[in-house]
Amino acid sequence: MQLSLVSEMPGLEKKVFLDVFAKAYFDRRLHRYRLKTIDGQLIPADLTIGCTNHVISQFPEGTIYKLDVRLVQKNGRQPYFLTLNHKKVQRAIEFFEYNLQVQTGKMECKIKKAVVFEKKKIHKPNTTADIDIF
């Protein structure tokens, strides 16, 4: 559940969001782990989140975290989020199965269609042996 604290603190002007889900990825340009928001939330997807590297580098890339963030908009730059409290950044319990598969390296492959092959017997008129072909 995502909430804005505007009703409780009018001075914030929708800048604080609770329970935001973000996915860890490795930024090759900066050579460190970073967080990006995921789809399906009331906030835009793919916004970067500023967080200390030692908090999110303990688990592999692709792990989903749940955290509280503050929106930052500086002049001439794309908006981004900063974590409110680094100690409260935690792996999302809502994505427990997904995170477990990421951490064990056993990502489930979805198969759209299963094809079953049956053995067929072909009889040749000159031989008495049966041949199995898949």
Side-chain angles (χ1 to χ4, degrees):
M1 179 176 168
Q2 293 179 334
L3 301 172
S4 175
L5 298 177
V6 174
S7 60
E8 295 177 20
M9 300 176 164
L12 292 177
E13 299 174 358
K14 294 185 184 180
K15 292 189 177 187
V16 175
F17 297 90
L18 304 177
D19 298 336
V20 174
F21 295 102
K23 189 174 190 176
Y25 73 98
F26 187 77
D27 191 350
R28 296 180 194 277
R29 187 174 53 94
L30 299 174
H31 302 289
R32 66 184 188 108
Y33 283 98
R34 305 219 37 208
L35 293 173
K36 274 196 176 194
T37 57
I38 60 174
D39 291 333
Q41 301 182 78
L42 298 175
I43 56 174
D46 293 334
L47 278 179
T48 58
I49 299 174
C51 184
T52 59
N53 197 27
H54 76 281
V55 172
I56 57 175
S57 64
Q58 297 173 6
F59 298 101
E61 182 176 4
T63 302
I64 296 179
Y65 293 91
K66 182 178 180 180
L67 55 148
D68 301 335
V69 294
R70 178 174 50 98
L71 181 64
V72 176
Q73 289 181 318
K74 293 187 178 179
N75 295 337
R77 292 186 63 192
Q78 182 178 2
Y80 62 95
F81 288 119
L82 286 176
T83 56
L84 289 178
N85 188 351
H86 299 293
K87 294 180 181 179
K88 290 188 178 181
V89 175
Q90 59 187 355
R91 288 175 289 156
I93 193 82
E94 293 84 353
F95 293 91
F96 177 76
E97 293 293 328
Y98 172 82
N99 285 340
L100 187 62
Q101 289 176 358
V102 167
Q103 291 160 19
T104 58
K106 297 178 182 176
M107 288 300 297
E108 183 178 296
C109 298
K110 294 182 180 178
I111 299 172
K112 293 181 181 177
K113 192 176 189 181
V115 179
V116 177
F117 293 101
E118 296 180 7
K119 290 184 178 182
K120 295 182 181 179
K121 292 185 177 182
I122 299 176
H123 296 284
K124 290 187 180 180
N126 295 338
T127 61
T128 58
D130 291 338
I131 301 173
D132 291 337
I133 298 178
F134 293 99

